[in-house]
Amino acid sequence: MFCVRSGGHSTTGYSVCDGIVIDVSGPKYVVVDKSTMTAQVGAGTNFSYLNSYLDTQGVHIPGGLCGDVCVGGYMQGGGWGTRRGCSA
């Protein structure tokens, strides 16, 4: 069994397991190409940083309400819910 974590938290416990934990929290970057309206984002980039950077570029993407959820976890189905229990 294995699990993947990008930020280290999960209210349902999906970022830990009894097997192998693959930690992808290291890559923290955002690169925006405005000519193609695309962005490259590291799995460990949290939504607070991502959204603040995208604001400076005049672009936005939909995302979760909790700013400390990282892109890797959100893309795996995490980061959904309310602000309750979130530090953002």
Side-chain angles (χ1 to χ4, degrees):
M1 176 195 289
F2 73 93
C3 62
V4 179
R5 68 188 281 168
S6 64
H9 74 278
S10 170
T11 56
T12 53
Y14 294 141
S15 62
V16 295
C17 67
D18 291 332
I20 297 171
V21 176
I22 302 169
D23 187 343
V24 296
S25 63
K28 298 176 182 170
Y29 61 87
V30 181
V31 178
V32 173
D33 182 343
K34 290 178 87 170
S35 68
T36 59
M37 294 303 290
T38 60
Q40 295 179 21
V41 183
T45 305
N46 69 41
F47 270 86
S48 287
Y49 178 79
L50 175 61
N51 286 327
S52 67
Y53 182 83
L54 293 178
D55 282 347
T56 68
Q57 301 298 305
V59 295
H60 179 72
I61 60 168
L65 293 175
C66 191
D68 62 346
V69 171
C70 294
V71 171
Y74 184 77
M75 297 308 294
Q76 294 181 80
W80 298 94
T82 65
R83 282 176 109 45
R84 185 176 55 230
C86 172
S87 62

